[in-house]
């Protein structure tokens, strides 16, 4: 059965800190791993990772996939209070396969 | 714990027919369930929020009469796509939770293809 495990479950940091969120997976027929940010309504798509070792970057956020270790990390540098959210990892999404979401990491950034 | 089962995983139906998708919380009681639709570039759009025993709250632009949502019990919500058309073909995902610190758990999604 497909499994996506995220750690830590919850994290509280001060503004300006750098955080690393972890996601490990056991997914049959791996195609991609995705990161989402959930604040209020629908999760907001952040990154889709398909190739190992290639970092994807968007502003202060970056993510990389390690297919050998079956894991991915999401880095947020110089955190801001607006980064407070639940960060979800999922794989794969779309196509004719089931999607498996991790339970998320709740990040709280305090001033 | 906190498992959400979505059924079916994949359905193909003829244009004009209706399709029902179920979302069940297996080991907890979900006071709130959300229904999402996936759009290109992996974005998820919230369609509606369903609270047990009351009418669902639909997001702007989502047709209530087309996407019927029923949340009759604390463990089951259903989304019925009525008179489906090819443009309704999409990936539909539910999430369920109690709204507390544990957040919400996602189902595994349903791929709907209307031919």
């Amino acid at each position: 059965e497909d499994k996506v495990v995220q750690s830590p479950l919850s994290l509280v940091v001060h503004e300006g800190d750098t955080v690393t969120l972890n996601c490990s997976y056991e997914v049959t027929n791996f195609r991609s791993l995705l990161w989402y940010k959930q604040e209020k309504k629908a999760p907001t798509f952040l990154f889709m990772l398909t190739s190992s070792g290639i970092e994807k970057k968007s502003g202060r956020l970056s993510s990389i996939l390690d297919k050998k270790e079956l894991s991915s990390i999401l880095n947020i540098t110089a955190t801001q209070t607006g980064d407070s959210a639940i960060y979800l990892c999922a794989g794969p999404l779309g196509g004719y396969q089931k999607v498996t979401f991790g339970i998320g990491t709740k990040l709280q950034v305090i001033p | 714990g906190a498992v959400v089962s979505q059924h079916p995983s994949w359905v193909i139906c003829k244009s004009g027919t209706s399709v029902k998708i179920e979302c069940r919380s297996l080991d907890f009681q979900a006071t709130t369930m959300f229904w999402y639709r996936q759009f290109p570039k992996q974005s998820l759009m919230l369609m509606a929020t369903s609270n047990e025993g009351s009418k669902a709250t639909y997001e702007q632009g989502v047709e209530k009469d087309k996407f019927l949502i029923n949340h009759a019990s604390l463990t089951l919500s259903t989304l019925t796509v009525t008179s489906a058309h090819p443009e309704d073909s999409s990936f539909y995902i539910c999430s369920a939770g109690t709204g507390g610190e544990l957040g919400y758990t996602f189902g595994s999604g349903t791929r709907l293809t209307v031919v």
Side-chain angles (χ1 to χ4, degrees):
Chain A
E1 190 170 320
D2 291 352
K3 198 164 38 171
V4 174
V5 178
Q6 289 186 250
S7 64
L9 291 180
S10 185
L11 193 56
V12 180
V13 300
H14 285 99
E15 267 191 317
D17 288 350
T18 293
V19 296
T20 298
L21 310 182
N22 302 287
C23 175
S24 64
Y25 62 90
E26 291 174 28
V27 178
T28 54
N29 300 317
F30 178 84
R31 291 169 58 187
S32 59
L33 189 132
L34 300 104
W35 284 96
Y36 287 86
K37 178 182 181 182
Q38 171 124 43
E39 291 174 278
K40 291 177 183 176
K41 293 191 173 181
T44 305
F45 170 72
L46 296 176
F47 299 109
M48 181 168 77
L49 305 166
T50 52
S51 301
S52 200
I54 298 173
E55 186 184 54
K56 291 220 172 173
K57 207 167 164 60
S58 176
R60 295 177 294 103
L61 276 66
S62 64
S63 185
I64 195 162
L65 179 68
D66 186 339
K67 281 187 181 178
K68 197 174 173 186
E69 297 295 325
L70 304 183
S71 66
S72 173
I73 59 170
L74 174 69
N75 277 320
I76 308 175
T77 59
T79 51
Q80 301 171 357
T81 54
D83 295 326
S84 298
I86 295 174
Y87 290 84
L88 296 161
C89 171
L93 192 66
Y96 295 102
Q97 292 177 264
K98 286 188 176 184
V99 62
T100 303
F101 275 86
I103 60 172
T105 293
K106 185 174 181 179
L107 172 65
Q108 187 181 353
V109 182
I110 54 179
Chain B
V3 177
V4 173
S5 170
Q6 202 170 326
H7 177 82
S9 299
W10 180 20
V11 57
I12 300 175
C13 70
K14 284 189 174 180
S15 192
T17 61
S18 295
V19 173
K20 183 186 281 189
I21 302 170
E22 291 186 349
C23 180
R24 288 182 188 272
S25 56
L26 297 185
D27 51 1
F28 68 101
Q29 293 184 324
T31 50
T32 306
M33 289 187 175
F34 300 94
W35 287 95
Y36 302 89
R37 179 174 174 175
Q38 183 193 10
F39 280 91
K41 296 187 180 179
Q42 317 302 332
S43 66
L44 295 175
M45 180 196 80
L46 178 65
M47 298 174 68
T49 302
S50 125
N51 292 299
E52 185 265 339
S54 61
K55 287 185 179 180
T57 303
Y58 289 80
E59 295 299 306
Q60 196 170 8
V62 178
E63 298 174 61
K64 299 178 187 182
D65 295 332
K66 181 162 186 64
F67 298 100
L68 299 178
I69 290 172
N70 185 279
H71 192 163
S73 78
L74 285 170
T75 58
L76 174 65
S77 176
T78 59
L79 166 68
T80 302
V81 183
T82 61
S83 187
H85 287 98
E87 56 265 30
D88 299 325
S89 298
S90 190
F91 193 68
Y92 294 86
I93 304 174
C94 71
S95 71
T98 58
E101 286 297 310
L102 294 177
Y104 295 92
T105 303
F106 284 82
S108 55
T110 298
R111 168 65 65 180
L112 170 64
T113 302
V114 184
V115 298

